[in-house]
Amino acid sequence: MSLILTRTEIEKLEQIISEQLLSSGAEHVVVTDLSGNLIMERGTVEMEDIFSLAAVSAANFAATAEIARLIGEEDFALLYHKGGKRNVHFSRLAKDYLIITLFSDNVSLGLIRLRIGNAINEMTAIFAQHKGAVPWRS
């Protein structure tokens, strides 16, 4: 599926990410499609290869979807990995996209989940305007 966002849509996505996530303590936010193609990123974490992060994250999400299927679930809508210094939260955005949020232990997982939910609600409206971007229902 090809996705073409206008400059106005990109600016609105950046605003949502800044207001909902970065202002709440998230360090970096990455938006990809489920094939691992980078759509956009915002934040302060310097990464050597953001494209590999996008691709591996999408593969991780796909592997988890297969685990869900094997145990009789339709899908898992989100994943969370806790690290020593940094945590990663993955959540489906619309039907075909993934939002990856990096944050430190100084930030509450509950706050991040709340803010991601708000961001997804706002961002889904933008992606839903594009063919094939049907809102995801968990």
Side-chain angles (χ1 to χ4, degrees):
M1 179 174 102
S2 73
L3 172 71
I4 299 172
L5 296 170
T6 66
R7 182 74 220 148
T8 302
E9 290 170 328
I10 291 170
E11 288 170 356
K12 181 62 178 165
L13 291 170
E14 289 173 342
Q15 178 184 1
I16 293 166
I17 288 169
S18 292
E19 290 175 0
Q20 290 290 344
L21 299 168
L22 298 177
S23 70
S24 299
E27 296 176 325
H28 211 90
V29 178
V30 179
V31 179
T32 72
D33 65 16
L34 292 180
S35 297
N37 297 304
L38 180 69
I39 295 171
M40 66 179 302
E41 64 162 324
R42 300 256 321 154
T44 59
V45 176
E46 297 208 18
M47 288 177 255
E48 278 185 39
D49 190 356
I50 190 72
F51 298 103
S52 291
L53 175 66
V56 172
S57 294
N60 182 34
F61 207 81
T64 303
E66 183 60 18
I67 291 169
R69 188 190 69 75
L70 291 170
I71 65 168
E73 289 290 328
E74 184 176 323
D75 197 5
F76 293 131
L78 68 89
L79 298 170
Y80 167 68
H81 297 296
K82 180 166 178 38
K85 293 183 269 184
R86 186 167 285 131
N87 306 307
V88 184
H89 185 283
F90 307 85
S91 193
R92 191 182 295 270
L93 169 61
K95 182 183 174 202
D96 298 310
Y97 306 97
L98 183 61
I99 185 167
I100 304 155
T101 306
L102 286 71
F103 61 102
S104 73
D105 276 339
N106 297 331
V107 180
S108 159
L109 173 60
L111 176 61
I112 291 295
R113 288 189 61 189
L114 173 69
R115 290 307 195 93
I116 288 172
N118 293 343
I120 287 172
N121 286 339
E122 293 182 43
M123 295 170 84
T124 296
I126 295 168
F127 284 97
Q129 295 175 30
H130 297 274
K131 183 180 178 184
V134 179
W136 174 255
R137 300 287 181 234
S138 55

